[in-house]
Amino acid sequence: MDEWSRERIAARILAGDTLIIYHGHLLSIPQKWLEAHPGGELALLHFVGRDASAEIEANHLDHTLNLIPKYSIGRVQLTDGIWEPFLPPIATGWVRRIGPAGNRVWFKEATEALSNQDSHFCPSSSVLLVPNDPRAIQPSGPTLASLIPPPSTLSLKQQARHEQAWRELHKRVTAAGLYNTRYITGYGPELVRYTLLALLSIYFYSRSWFITSAVFLGLFWHQLVFSAHDLGHMGVTHNWTADRIIATIIADFIGGLSIGWWVQNHNVHHLVTNHPSHDPDIEHIPFFAITPAFLDSLWSSYYKRTMAFDWFSRIALSVQHKLFYIIMAFARFNLYVNSYTFLYQKSFDTKRARGGNWAWRLEIIGLLFFWTWFGRVLYGCGSWQMALAYLLVSHAVTSPLHIQIVLSHYSMPTGDLGPVESFPHRQMRTTTDVICDPSIEFIHGGLHLQVTHHLFPRLPRHNLRRASVLVKEFAEEQGLTYAEFGFVDGNREVLNTLKNVADQIKIMGKVAKDEAKEALDKKMAAKDAKNGFANGNGAYHPNSNGVLKKLT
């Protein structure tokens, strides 16, 4: 089998090939599969020139892994059995687009900038993206220098040992049968709970107790989405088609949300967790910013837009810790926007990229069905005031779910330690558990155990607690931190994080105000001095601040 040198691989990447390393093999991903990848093309682009072995194993079923070798075009040259990673082009703002001649060419969608935040949350080695300067001449394509990552404080050998230890842990988890779905003991009680909540909502609606009905509908949505989450990770039937159909029924037909959008969004979140320029789950400008890095108006490689720190953002973010729960009460409406934007954009994709077209069509049918039945529910409230109240209450009741998810990431580091960082190291560094008594785990859907979930995304959530015991042993053996805190403490940590950024904005405003005042004073003093000399009204001298003062 052909052996590829680093120089040769770099040249092919610069020429536009999508090359990923998997267990020493060089995988060449064709454009058609890049577009059709069920997890979205960004999930692949973030690993160009990198060893994605752990990420691939964590997110794919065994029969899918068996198909991967067919994309191998040879072996790669390793150093002590380890691949020294390149920095993917997308990390420095480079993407491939259709050019004027109809062929794919490099396009610089954003400019890279080393972080100026040398801290635990955003180390100076982080590569952030900012909008292109429209006055600057854009290069024609990435260079070899752009593929070289910034210096890292991490040891490549140590990270390789972490990854090998994770692989052994993965074998233990599999051998323990923790990938087996608990249909009766796991989903059985949940099905009863779903049915009860739905029936209670229908019953109170029939009695014209509309607000009570709205509360139970919200609780029904809140609980049901946990199963949609499992299905999106292929963690129920372990068959992509079956899980996607069931997930579409739950998310689209019953919940009015796009499961296709959620899967692609969530996959990127799992792969580049807490990266300000790449993780959509922390990109909530203008309402939330969990790191001062967002105050630089970063570019989002997921949303393909500038997250502008404008006048509205300045006002909203300065009080974000005070508005946190109010905004989270309306978080579901943001999911609608993201869902429908995604489906609209997908309407222009190829049929294969939409899952053979049927998955996209099924989602559209599902959303039409949802707004038909839910619209009828709102109409039946009798007045627009009651319909509005029903709408807001049913959606606000789901807010604890959104709060729970952000607790596991908002207070954790947002810095990127570069492509040297191993899969387990990054997941444990950027994720935390919410401690919960087993008797009330159902409220959190089992997803309060986010550390274990991020290490094993396809693991059925009913088995996360058993797996977390093994993960804690792994963390202790590898010298890694297994972060966890209670629900109340978690909320306090998130609010503190939001307040710290808000305080930064206030300091920025005060400094800007002082600088503007000083500049105005100098300007006025200079003007007075000029007028004074011109009129012969005396002499002036500068004070300690450089401002001219009249001598009397």
Side-chain angles (χ1 to χ4, degrees):
M1 183 174 287
D2 193 15
E3 186 174 71
W4 289 67
S5 66
R6 288 180 56 79
E7 293 75 14
R8 188 180 173 192
I9 293 173
R12 288 286 295 271
I13 291 174
L14 295 176
D17 288 0
T18 303
L19 303 180
I20 298 173
I21 287 78
Y22 176 70
H23 289 303
H25 285 269
L26 184 63
L27 307 181
S28 179
I29 312 300
Q31 184 62 37
K32 288 185 177 180
W33 181 242
L34 188 66
E35 296 171 351
H37 184 233
E41 68 173 6
L42 284 176
L44 296 171
L45 294 180
H46 281 299
F47 287 89
V48 171
R50 298 176 57 184
D51 188 330
S53 301
E55 286 81 0
I56 291 174
E57 291 172 355
N59 289 282
H60 293 84
L61 301 171
D62 288 342
H63 73 268
T64 302
L65 296 178
N66 294 333
L67 299 175
I68 291 178
K70 75 175 185 178
Y71 293 105
S72 175
I73 57 175
R75 304 284 297 187
V76 299
Q77 290 181 358
L78 303 175
T79 302
D80 296 329
I82 305 172
W83 171 256
E84 185 177 347
F86 287 118
L87 189 64
I90 194 171
T92 52
W94 286 104
V95 295
R96 302 279 288 175
R97 288 186 178 180
I98 301 295
N103 59 324
R104 290 193 170 271
V105 297
W106 284 111
F107 176 77
K108 184 73 167 172
E109 66 175 8
T111 300
E112 69 274 20
L114 286 178
S115 169
N116 57 8
Q117 304 288 328
D118 191 6
S119 68
H120 175 62
F121 280 81
C122 200
S124 58
S125 60
S126 295
V127 179
L128 302 176
L129 295 179
V130 295
N132 289 324
D133 184 349
R135 299 166 298 179
I137 299 176
Q138 296 300 318
S140 59
T143 64
L144 180 59
S146 68
L147 296 181
I148 306 302
S152 175
T153 58
L154 300 177
S155 164
L156 184 59
K157 291 184 178 180
Q158 181 63 47
Q159 294 302 304
R161 284 194 289 269
H162 287 326
E163 196 152 297
Q164 182 57 40
W166 172 85
R167 195 165 285 112
E168 294 301 320
L169 173 63
H170 197 185
K171 293 179 180 178
R172 293 177 62 193
V173 169
T174 303
L178 298 181
Y179 273 105
N180 299 328
T181 303
R182 291 163 52 188
Y183 294 109
I184 303 300
T185 59
Y187 286 104
E190 290 198 353
L191 184 60
V192 173
R193 191 181 308 121
Y194 301 156
T195 304
L196 178 61
L197 292 173
L199 290 177
L200 285 172
S201 180
I202 294 172
Y203 171 77
F204 286 115
Y205 186 89
S206 68
R207 296 283 178 164
S208 296
W209 288 27
F210 297 119
I211 300 302
T212 307
S213 171
V215 169
F216 281 104
L217 177 60
L219 292 174
F220 173 62
W221 281 337
H222 172 274
Q223 287 291 301
L224 197 61
V225 75
F226 294 128
S227 290
H229 172 275
D230 293 353
L231 291 157
H233 278 295
M234 297 180 292
V236 180
T237 70
H238 311 293
N239 176 280
W240 186 89
T241 301
D243 278 357
R244 179 53 63 92
I245 291 175
I246 301 172
T248 302
I249 293 173
I250 292 176
D252 297 75
F253 283 75
I254 301 177
L257 303 174
S258 166
I259 189 63
W261 160 75
W262 181 85
V263 167
Q264 293 206 11
N265 176 287
H266 199 62
N267 282 342
V268 174
H269 160 69
H270 268 270
L271 296 172
V272 287
T273 312
N274 269 22
H275 194 298
S277 287
H278 304 299
D279 182 1
D281 274 15
I282 65 169
E283 296 177 340
H284 297 305
I285 296 289
F287 299 108
F288 296 129
I290 63 173
T291 170
F294 283 116
L295 308 185
D296 290 330
S297 294
L298 300 180
W299 171 266
S300 168
S301 65
Y302 180 86
Y303 291 111
K304 303 301 181 186
R305 63 175 174 82
T306 301
M307 297 176 284
F309 180 58
D310 52 20
W311 66 270
F312 181 78
S313 299
R314 186 181 298 274
I315 295 173
L317 297 180
S318 65
V319 291
Q320 60 178 347
H321 53 298
K322 298 179 181 179
L323 299 179
F324 176 66
Y325 296 108
I326 297 175
I327 294 175
M328 294 306 284
F330 298 96
R332 192 175 181 89
F333 292 102
N334 183 56
L335 303 186
Y336 290 140
V337 173
N338 288 328
S339 292
Y340 306 154
T341 300
F342 169 83
L343 291 174
Y344 171 75
Q345 294 171 342
K346 279 296 176 183
S347 67
F348 298 99
D349 283 355
T350 64
K351 290 184 178 181
R352 187 181 179 193
R354 294 202 301 263
N357 203 31
W358 69 263
W360 182 84
R361 289 182 180 274
L362 185 61
E363 287 208 72
I364 297 300
I365 295 172
L367 295 180
L368 292 174
F369 177 84
F370 169 79
W371 286 110
T372 298
W373 76 258
F374 188 57
R376 184 65 185 84
V377 167
L378 296 178
Y379 181 79
C381 289
S383 68
W384 70 266
Q385 294 93 335
M386 182 55 69
L388 179 61
Y390 194 101
L391 175 71
L392 296 178
V393 170
S394 61
H395 285 60
V397 168
T398 67
S399 63
L401 168 65
H402 308 295
I403 294 173
Q404 170 196 328
I405 297 302
V406 304
L407 292 187
S408 293
H409 299 290
Y410 269 28
S411 61
M412 300 303 286
T414 56
D416 179 29
L417 300 184
V420 169
E421 186 174 27
S422 66
F423 169 69
H425 190 279
R426 181 177 188 95
Q427 300 309 321
M428 299 195 72
R429 181 176 61 85
T430 58
T431 310
T432 182
D433 281 358
V434 178
I435 299 173
C436 172
D437 188 272
S439 63
I440 57 171
E441 275 188 347
F442 71 92
I443 297 177
H444 299 280
L447 291 179
H448 57 293
L449 298 170
Q450 280 286 300
V451 174
T452 302
H453 170 59
H454 267 252
L455 289 176
F456 305 103
R458 294 184 296 103
L459 205 66
R461 57 191 165 83
H462 304 106
N463 297 331
L464 287 176
R465 178 167 288 280
R466 287 177 59 194
S468 68
V469 175
L470 301 178
V471 172
K472 288 181 178 180
E473 293 176 0
F474 159 80
E476 185 175 357
E477 293 169 357
Q478 295 299 309
L480 298 173
T481 300
Y482 189 112
E484 58 182 352
F485 44 49
F487 187 79
V488 174
D489 289 337
N491 276 266
R492 187 179 296 114
E493 290 290 330
V494 168
L495 292 177
N496 286 338
T497 297
L498 297 175
K499 185 177 184 301
N500 288 338
V501 177
D503 290 342
Q504 288 284 332
I505 295 173
K506 292 176 182 177
I507 292 173
M508 289 171 56
K510 185 177 185 301
V511 170
K513 183 177 180 180
D514 290 343
E515 289 178 347
K517 183 177 183 302
E518 182 178 352
L520 180 61
D521 287 344
K522 288 182 179 180
K523 182 177 180 181
M524 293 302 296
K527 181 178 180 181
D528 290 344
K530 180 178 180 181
N531 292 336
F533 282 122
N535 297 325
N537 292 329
Y540 290 74
H541 74 92
N543 66 10
S544 60
N545 293 322
V547 178
L548 295 175
K549 295 185 68 175
K550 184 175 181 180
L551 291 175
T552 56

